Amino acid sequence: MGLIEHRQLIILGAGPAGLSAAIYAARAELKPLVITGMVLYGQASLTYAIENYPGFPNGIGGMQLGQLFEEQAKAFGAEFLFDEVQAVDLSKHPYTVSVSGGDYTTDALIIAMGANNKRLNVPGEEEFIGRGVSYCGTCDCRFYRDKDIHVVGGGDSALEEAIFLTRFAHSVTIIHRRDTFRAGPILENRARTNPKISFLLDSVVKEIRGHEGVDELLVENVKTGEKNIIPTDGIFIFIGHSPNTKFFEGQLEMEPGGTLKINELMETNKKGVFAAGEIADPHFRQVVTSAGMGAAAAISATRCLETMSCGF
Ligand code: NAP
């Protein structure tokens, strides 16, 4: 397919990192093109109420916050393309981003394509997202005050979030598919000694059921094959993350956990290619931290383009 046009800066992704980068780059008059992908506003858009983003003391819906980010970026001149990336070629400069309608070339690129929480892929999971199925304790904890909830996973995230959720919930039951934990011993010990936490080990969730919200789980013991129906007010799933890096395999350096490797300036190992947000963040994964990384990436990209300090 043919060349559509050349741009100074393309931003891939329209979550908090991509949209913050767009605001900063647009204010620097780089006229960034944001290629949104098919899910606008990233994982944050799945959150009913974001209560920890500064400036919104009464909370704000994830979708609504994304719309405000977009409005602000457009007001400064950012352009948006609602299309999915098909390929990215970083082998020669200017770089090429292919979408369904053709190719764009660009001097600089900010990659903010996020990550997806791994799914259990069981019946009921998709259906009840936001209505009893959650992937973020920090986001949704307040909806489960004095409730009896379940947490799936045996890694650091699952145990850390389970411990956090005991501040709100009446009880937290951790469902893990083995009888030993991947999580480190300190977290395991803290979970085991927490009076609100109990364990359902060697067990997997086969189905999530409910009406208005989640009411019960079908759980199978993997050793005995026994199945039980367990009442619950909600299920938090922490079984790992998959950063959306498939276009960059073999092109950019990655961390062992699968995120893109960046330095403190948000630079990847390619000149003029920056990354921000969850695709490059194995630690924090918050709207505010992703937004901060996006702003930092845009400042670095601006310096690179203005001074040609990137070296191309
Ligand atoms: P993780 O370490 O990959 O653990 C994922 C857990 O989910 C494992 O226990 C795994 O079971 C289970 N699991 C995976 N797929 C499953 C499935 N389909 N059904 C049921 N269970 C499934 O992921 P993470 O806990 O998100 O941690 C990611 C990284 O961040 C790790 O390096 C971790 O150390 C780090 N982290 C650190 C901290 C901290 O230090 N405070 C906090 C959070 C995260 P198996 O064990 O059987 O494989």
Side-chain angles (χ1 to χ4, degrees), residues 75-92:
F76 290 116
E79 290 170 30
F80 283 69
L81 178 71
F82 186 70
D83 201 347
E84 205 144 32
V85 173
Q86 312 280 326
V88 180
D89 182 0
L90 304 176
S91 64
K92 58 181 187 307

Side-chain angles (χ1 to χ4, degrees), residues 54-67:
F56 296 94
N58 300 317
I60 181 164
M63 191 61 86
Q64 197 189 350
L65 184 62
Q67 284 164 350

Side-chain angles (χ1 to χ4, degrees), residues 265-303:
L265 296 177
M266 307 291 135
E267 293 169 320
T268 68
N269 61 309
K270 286 267 179 193
K271 299 275 184 200
V273 180
F274 306 84
E278 294 201 17
I279 197 165
D281 172 15
H283 303 295
F284 304 115
R285 305 188 197 115
Q286 300 295 303
V287 176
V288 67
T289 50
S290 289
M293 290 173 81
I299 292 169
S300 284
T302 305
R303 287 181 184 152

